[in-house]
Amino acid sequence: MPTRYAYLITRTDTGQPMSLGTLTLVGDDTAALAVSLLARNRGEHSYYSGPRRCSVWPQPVDEPLPDTAPVTAEHFDG
């Protein structure tokens, strides 16, 4: 069953947000999703070559997207 996930990619040195959005994922392989999002972010933000953190969490359709990752989010560094 498809699940809507939100993601937030931040610089790990400053915590500055770089990318925020939602995607619908079939299955629950959030690690693979994070790897893909981090790779895309590196291409889109090539001016910054430092480390990034991708936070991923289930996001209900009827709730607004928060500016920060909730404490329940999974975090992936890359």
Side-chain angles (χ1 to χ4, degrees):
M1 171 161 212
T3 302
R4 182 177 185 237
Y5 285 93
Y7 64 89
L8 173 64
I9 299 175
T10 56
R11 292 173 53 150
T12 58
D13 59 348
T14 64
Q16 176 184 0
M18 299 181 77
S19 185
L20 174 69
T22 62
L23 293 166
T24 300
L25 182 64
V26 176
D28 61 354
D29 192 354
T30 54
L33 174 62
V35 167
S36 173
L37 289 168
L38 287 166
R40 184 174 79 185
N41 186 267
R42 285 197 180 281
E44 293 172 350
H45 299 276
S46 59
Y47 59 86
Y48 174 69
S49 60
R52 296 158 166 81
R53 170 170 281 179
C54 182
S55 301
V56 179
W57 64 93
Q59 179 68 27
V61 175
D62 58 342
E63 289 185 17
L65 191 59
D67 293 333
T68 59
V71 296
T72 58
E74 293 181 80
H75 305 286
F76 303 92
D77 293 332

